[in-house]
Amino acid sequence: MIEVVILAVTVLAALAVGLLLRRNQGQVREATLDPQTEQRARLLGAAGVSGAAPAVLHFSADWCGPCDAVRRVVAGVTAELSGSPNAPRDIEIDIDADPALARELNVLSLPTTFVFDAEGKERFRISGVPKASDLRTALEPLTV
């Protein structure tokens, strides 16, 4: 009987820890702005984050299953906002092809998405698949 109780407590504890770890998955979080270095500016410029318009930069890879969902969400939201005065750009980077930019932005897992404002400053970071409504809410003020 004691073994069953210990097993039940262990399963409940593992479930609680799993739920705590996943609660931030896919949420839009404000960026903690790291100092803009020359290296970072050069790598972002080469990727297409020019500072002329807001940009959604998302890292992906061929082997990443959830990255397909990110592509659909980002493409849908940027298409919805394409008629705004300062339409956002959709930029996808293959992490295997461009690991330097991923290292510079501290990308630790896939998918990871960044939102940059029109000045090229990082405003938001999203780990996992973003919700379309959250991404739209983050982007709309930047497109005016």
Side-chain angles (χ1 to χ4, degrees), residues 1-137:
M1 182 66 180
I2 283 195
E3 293 87 6
V4 173
V5 171
I6 291 173
L7 179 63
V9 168
T10 304
V11 168
L12 288 175
L15 180 64
V17 168
L19 289 174
L20 284 173
L21 292 175
R22 290 208 49 184
R23 77 169 188 236
N24 287 336
Q25 187 78 8
Q27 289 186 340
V28 176
R29 298 182 317 254
E30 286 201 42
T32 56
L33 297 174
D34 291 333
Q36 184 75 2
T37 63
E38 190 175 313
Q39 167 84 359
R40 176 178 279 200
R42 185 179 58 73
L43 289 169
L44 286 171
V49 179
S50 61
V56 179
L57 173 71
H58 51 107
F59 286 90
S60 64
D62 292 336
W63 46 265
C64 173
C67 293
D68 288 333
V70 173
R71 280 185 203 101
R72 287 190 300 274
V73 169
V74 172
V77 171
T78 55
E80 286 176 25
L81 297 173
S82 65
S84 17
N86 204 8
R89 300 188 60 212
D90 177 0
I91 303 168
E92 182 175 0
I93 302 291
D94 185 332
I95 197 166
D96 295 325
D98 195 354
L101 181 57
R103 261 192 314 277
E104 184 67 31
L105 294 174
N106 296 320
V107 174
L108 301 176
S109 64
L110 288 182
T112 299
T113 305
F114 295 88
V115 175
F116 291 91
D117 63 15
E119 285 81 41
K121 294 195 181 357
E122 180 185 336
R123 298 296 287 278
F124 301 99
R125 168 180 272 218
I126 307 155
S127 296
V129 180
K131 296 182 182 115
S133 60
D134 292 342
L135 185 59
R136 190 177 313 105
T137 301

